[in-house]
Amino acid sequence: LDRSAGIIVIGNEILSGKVVDTNSPFLARELRRLGVTVRRILTIPDELDVIAAAAAEFHRDYDVVFTSGGVGPTHDDVTIEGIARGLGRRVVRHPAIEGKIREYYGGNVNEARLKMAEVPEGTELIVDGRLGFPTIKCENLYILPGIPEILEQKFEAIRDRFAVSPYYLRVVYTREGEGTIAEHLNATLGAFPDLLLGSYPKIGDPEYAVKLTLESKDEGYVARALAHLLSLLPPDAVVRTE
Amino acid sequence: LDRSAGIIVIGNEILSGKVVDTNSPFLARELRRLGVTVRRILTIPDELDVIAAAAAEFHRDYDVVFTSGGVGPTHDDVTIEGIARGLGRRVVRHPAIEGKIREYYGGNVNEARLKMAEVPEGTELIVDGRLGFPTIKCENLYILPGIPEILEQKFEAIRDRFAVSPYYLRVVYTREGEGTIAEHLNATLGAFPDLLLGSYPKIGDPEYAVKLTLESKDEGYVARALAHLLSLLPPDAVVRTE
């Protein structure tokens, strides 16, 4: 069983190099652990039309979509409106969120704070007792905030719903460089065409020259592919396997 | 004077969360310093058709494009072929690179190593005495390797060609949260519609609640916008400006 995912990172601060995005690496790692295959990560500016186009495309192309950023109360928070436009929905004020905001701010409620109650029409709220604010889901899009601490909390609260069959990973570290072992990688892929085989050279590491990753959702398949590859590699080329 | 850029990160290892991409943050930061506006960062798998589509789109949409990854000698290095396909060009073996490879490896040259001499037809080689290997440029695409040390070296060697007029940045740190200051941000944007204004809340920082960034390529404009914003904010809301 497989499930594809796309991640949309919304924020001028990432594109202008002011902030390093840690949300997409977090989501990529956690989704992989759950067996979900991330197909794209796209970072875009805080612009309505760009967000709308990305939301429409990712909504169509991937099973689940995560967005990060652009959901606060200020002028540059246009993610909700952009996603609504991309999905052909209106923006509405959600009564349950509005109630929470009015309760929290009391007499200090204002237009900016009430903007946080806006959602695309037809949005589902995922309520978790541990979190103050519900997570917003519209169609297959999970709309997450850009602040890493909150994004991570919210993802932890919904992670169980994404689990599919896991990937099995084996790793081989080689002393020989890619130019020497490439033919054996090709031969292994010839015999195991469904193997996910990665080859990652490391510069200046005294221990190894290349890290090879072998993956499949079929544990036996990856074990047989690993045995095949090890039978081809020169005996002293392998530093270790994991 | 403005110049737009797109960054394409090619690599299953990023999408599967095995490796954290440091190349796009590096390029985003350095390009901003040069006054270049990065419009998109897209991370895609090592797949021919996906690379071809991304290369064609970015080639069309941005003034300069940087790709990172997928240029080694192994089976998963399909960036060159993907870009060639996206630009409607053939893949050819470049005689100057082939000569360098044959010279370096002598009798140990093999098909995998010679694969490193492949480029899209019509490629320009940017030779820099400090680097062993030329940088590959095809149309407006700069094809960079995924290994961060090498990507950074190569970028340093070509960075001067991208400089345009710089962005001027001023920063305001506020004690008040976004919900309180949003109206003043909106008013400032009303008076200075071309201002690039970012608002970034920080959780758990004892010093400030929101970092505001004001930017423009017109130094006087950003100075006037800053003065306007400071005149609107409550006097004790500002921690400091930079």
Side-chain angles (χ1 to χ4, degrees), chain B residues 81-153:
Chain B
E81 194 178 341
I83 290 175
R85 188 178 294 186
L87 300 182
R89 291 165 180 252
R90 295 189 310 145
V91 173
V92 296
R93 204 179 266 180
H94 197 293
I97 308 182
E98 182 177 350
K100 266 190 168 295
I101 291 171
R102 289 191 182 278
E103 185 184 296
Y104 184 82
Y105 286 107
N108 288 323
V109 81
N110 60 22
E111 280 305 305
R113 287 174 175 140
L114 287 171
K115 182 167 178 255
M116 308 271 295
E118 291 178 354
V119 296
E121 193 167 29
T123 282
E124 177 190 339
L125 298 190
I126 307 171
V127 176
D128 185 291
R130 294 166 290 181
L131 302 176
F133 217 75
T135 296
I136 294 169
K137 180 192 179 211
C138 190
E139 305 250 6
N140 58 342
L141 275 74
Y142 293 82
I143 305 173
L144 302 174
I147 298 177
E149 296 88 339
I150 306 182
L151 178 134
E152 294 177 16
Q153 277 178 359

Side-chain angles (χ1 to χ4, degrees), chain A residues 18 39 41 43 47 215, chain B residues 18 39 41 43 47 215:
Chain A
K18 293 187 191 68
R39 297 282 302 160
I41 302 169
T43 305
E47 293 174 17
E215 279 176 294
Chain B
K18 293 186 190 69
R39 296 282 302 159
I41 301 169
T43 305
E47 294 174 18
E215 279 175 295

Side-chain angles (χ1 to χ4, degrees), chain B residues 46-100:
Chain B
D46 302 293
E47 294 174 18
L48 266 183
D49 288 343
V50 179
I51 297 168
E57 184 190 327
F58 276 51
H59 163 62
R60 182 192 67 217
D61 290 348
Y62 310 109
D63 294 328
V64 290
V65 179
F66 300 89
T67 74
S68 155
V71 295
T74 63
H75 63 284
D76 58 354
D77 293 308
V78 293
T79 293
I80 295 293
E81 194 178 341
I83 290 175
R85 188 178 294 186
L87 300 182
R89 291 165 180 252
R90 295 189 310 145
V91 173
V92 296
R93 204 179 266 180
H94 197 293
I97 308 182
E98 182 177 350
K100 266 190 168 295

Side-chain angles (χ1 to χ4, degrees), chain B residues 135-216:
Chain B
T135 296
I136 294 169
K137 180 192 179 211
C138 190
E139 305 250 6
N140 58 342
L141 275 74
Y142 293 82
I143 305 173
L144 302 174
I147 298 177
E149 296 88 339
I150 306 182
L151 178 134
E152 294 177 16
Q153 277 178 359
K154 281 186 180 283
F155 184 80
E156 292 306 332
I158 58 176
R159 61 177 296 137
D160 291 345
R161 60 173 65 201
F162 306 114
V164 281
S165 59
Y167 282 96
Y168 294 94
L169 167 69
R170 300 300 305 269
V171 180
V172 181
Y173 295 89
T174 73
R175 213 166 266 122
E176 299 286 350
E178 286 191 314
T180 306
I181 62 174
E183 57 173 315
H184 306 307
L185 303 182
N186 288 332
T188 301
L189 276 175
F192 296 87
D194 295 327
L195 181 70
L196 301 172
L197 176 59
S199 173
Y200 308 110
K202 185 79 178 282
I203 284 188
D205 193 304
E207 198 204 3
Y208 73 95
V210 180
K211 176 182 177 179
L212 300 171
T213 60
L214 294 80
E215 279 175 295
S216 166

Side-chain angles (χ1 to χ4, degrees), chain A residues 116-232:
Chain A
M116 308 270 295
E118 291 178 353
V119 295
E121 193 167 30
T123 281
E124 178 189 336
L125 298 190
I126 307 171
V127 177
D128 186 291
R130 293 166 291 179
L131 302 176
F133 217 75
T135 296
I136 295 169
K137 179 191 180 214
C138 191
E139 306 249 4
N140 59 343
L141 276 74
Y142 293 81
I143 306 172
L144 301 174
I147 298 177
E149 296 87 336
I150 306 182
L151 178 134
E152 294 176 16
Q153 277 178 359
K154 281 186 180 284
F155 184 81
E156 293 305 332
I158 59 175
R159 63 177 296 139
D160 291 345
R161 60 172 65 201
F162 305 113
V164 282
S165 59
Y167 281 96
Y168 294 94
L169 167 69
R170 300 300 304 271
V171 180
V172 180
Y173 294 88
T174 72
R175 213 165 266 121
E176 298 286 349
E178 286 191 314
T180 307
I181 63 175
E183 58 172 317
H184 307 306
L185 303 181
N186 288 332
T188 301
L189 277 175
F192 295 88
D194 295 327
L195 181 70
L196 301 172
L197 178 58
S199 174
Y200 308 111
K202 184 79 177 280
I203 284 189
D205 192 304
E207 199 203 3
Y208 73 95
V210 181
K211 175 181 177 178
L212 301 171
T213 60
L214 295 80
E215 279 176 294
S216 166
K217 293 208 162 195
D218 178 339
E219 193 170 10
Y221 193 80
V222 71
R224 291 192 298 279
L226 175 65
H228 188 84
L229 174 62
L230 292 176
S231 75
L232 295 175

